[in-house]
Structures are given as C-alpha cells and as structure tokens.
Amino acid sequence: HPIDGLTNLSHSNPDFTVAVALEHLSETGERESIAVAISKIFGGEVYYCEKGFGAFMNNRRIRVSKRQSSDGVVVASEDHNLLIEKMAGKSFSPRSYGCRTLEVAYLAASRFEMALFKKQNYELLKPFLLLAREAGGKVVEEDKCIVISS
C-alpha cells in the first residue's frame, strides 16, 4: 500500500501513510500477514508489529483501549450511514481520517475505541489488521463491514 490517504496528501492534509505488510503463503495457498509497518510521515510516527511479538510505535509498546463501555466511545469510520446503523441508540464521537491504515494504527495505540470499515476493498486492508490484533484488538467480519474494537 504505497500511499494510503492519497486524497489527504493531494490536499496538503498530513493524515496519510506509507504502509508495508509482509505476507506468508501457506501450503494451502492462504496468505497470512506476519509483519506490518505503517509510517505516518508527518509526525514521525512508525507503527509496526510482528506476529506473536506485540505492537509498537517508535519502539514503545502499544495496546488497544481498555475501555469496556460501549457508550460514549470514539469511533472511526469512513461511512457515516454505516456508523449510524451500527451505533444506533448509543452515545459516540465519530472520527474519519481518510486513511484506513492510519485508523488501524490509531486504534492500536488507544486513540479511539472502535473502527468500522466497509467490506469494499477489504483485501487491501486485511494484512494491516495484524497491528490491531497484536495490540490486543478484536477483528470481527460482519455482512456489510469489518468491526475492530478492544
């Protein structure tokens, strides 16, 4: 994923990343992420992980938020309608960065509690979900969307 958030970059918004995932092809033909690196150029933040070794930002261990309440959470989503549907009847603060890999990294670093992604172009995002898993997050695939939470 050479540049995620290309629209942000073209509009001089610093919320874009350069992201790389190392995948292993098993004997059954399935691809599995074994290492991920996401670099937010402006701000000097590098998020990385290796399967089974945890998640880090600039050599510091990161973990997802420990917040258990589903009310009043900060939720990142690229689709406002999906956000309203999934969070119906709950209090939440929406965020949208326009860069899916940055949203995964921010979730892993406890900057918010939940992220919702449309299943559209899921194959491009799938390798980077290892970062959220290594930080202690749960990834749930539903009919219309992918939900990442603590």
Side-chain angles (χ1 to χ4, degrees), residues 71-146:
D71 244 8
V73 297
V74 179
V75 182
S77 180
E78 59 195 358
D79 186 345
H80 185 71
N81 294 331
L82 178 65
L83 183 61
I84 297 298
E85 179 183 321
K86 295 299 289 181
M87 300 300 289
K90 298 178 183 171
S91 168
F92 65 94
S93 297
R95 300 286 187 273
S96 181
Y97 291 95
C99 179
R100 294 181 301 165
T101 54
L102 184 61
E103 289 174 355
V104 170
Y106 280 180
L107 177 98
S110 296
R111 294 194 182 171
F112 47 82
E113 288 82 25
M114 184 184 293
L116 302 171
F117 298 103
K118 293 185 287 187
K119 273 213 166 169
Q120 178 184 3
N121 297 326
Y122 175 57
E123 289 303 314
L124 293 174
L125 180 65
K126 190 176 181 178
F128 301 101
L129 299 181
L130 177 65
L131 184 68
R133 285 187 185 104
E134 286 296 316
K138 294 183 289 188
V139 178
V140 178
E141 295 181 40
E142 295 181 357
D143 293 341
K144 297 179 183 178
C145 66
I146 310 304

Side-chain angles (χ1 to χ4, degrees), residues 24-43:
H24 172 72
L25 188 61
S26 69
E27 292 177 11
T28 61
E30 293 183 37
R31 296 184 339 191
E32 173 186 25
S33 286
I34 57 174
V36 169
I38 299 172
S39 176
K40 182 178 179 206
I41 306 300
F42 288 100

